[in-house]
Amino acid sequence: MPARPHLLIVEAPYYQDIVAALVEGAAAAIEADGASYERITVPGALEIPAAIQAAATQDQFDGFVALGCVIRGETSHYDYVCAESAHGLQVLMLQRGLAIGNGILTVENREQAEARADVKRKNKGGEAARAALALLHIQRRFAP
């Protein structure tokens, strides 16, 4: 891994204002660590793991930050999207050894999403970026 890690932020902007706040927090955390980043957009949270898998084949990125928001609705679709997007990211981390910070919010309502995305409150975008960077530093420490 280079001295200055390069990350890919993969965002699913279904709730554009929420995801914009997540990106703001993630970008600030990445820059504070001295790393750089690029951004791509996917249609929804379920597509985030596939986009990361595709990008990982290029060896351009040292880590990934997954950002999106899923708000509970009237059907069970919420449960599937939350579980499968998280599972997809976990599989990539464990089977491919990718450093991924999961910033896909899974919330009951918009108020919870706004609180978690806001950089002055819970700043989950920043947390996700710091998680990816922490995994990168661990990988560097244990690299052969």
Side-chain angles (χ1 to χ4, degrees):
M1 181 172 63
R4 183 173 188 226
H6 188 59
L7 282 73
L8 180 64
I9 297 174
V10 181
E11 56 192 270
Y14 187 81
Y15 298 99
Q16 292 182 355
D17 58 328
I18 301 295
V19 174
L22 290 169
V23 170
E24 179 184 354
I30 292 167
E31 291 169 358
D33 196 71
S36 61
Y37 66 92
E38 292 179 40
R39 294 168 55 185
I40 62 167
T41 301
V42 297
L46 283 176
E47 290 76 33
I48 291 174
I52 290 173
Q53 179 173 295
T57 65
Q58 300 300 307
D59 290 331
Q60 296 176 20
F61 304 101
D62 302 300
F64 304 88
V65 182
L67 300 178
C69 179
V70 184
I71 299 176
R72 184 178 297 280
E74 298 175 357
T75 69
S76 59
H77 181 71
Y78 167 88
D79 298 310
Y80 295 109
V81 173
C82 294
E84 293 304 320
S85 60
H87 177 73
L89 296 176
Q90 191 69 17
V91 166
L92 291 171
M93 287 190 282
L94 295 175
Q95 292 182 359
R96 301 271 319 270
L98 301 180
I100 302 172
N102 184 353
I104 301 173
L105 302 180
T106 55
V107 296
E108 299 294 321
N109 54 55
R110 178 169 268 283
E111 294 77 27
Q112 290 177 351
E114 290 169 351
R116 283 159 179 74
D118 189 333
V119 296
K120 293 184 173 117
R121 292 193 272 173
K122 299 200 180 230
N123 193 13
K124 295 299 182 178
E127 276 186 27
R130 285 188 292 276
L133 291 162
L135 287 170
L136 286 173
H137 294 301
I138 290 168
Q139 288 175 350
R140 180 180 284 173
R141 178 175 179 212
F142 292 110

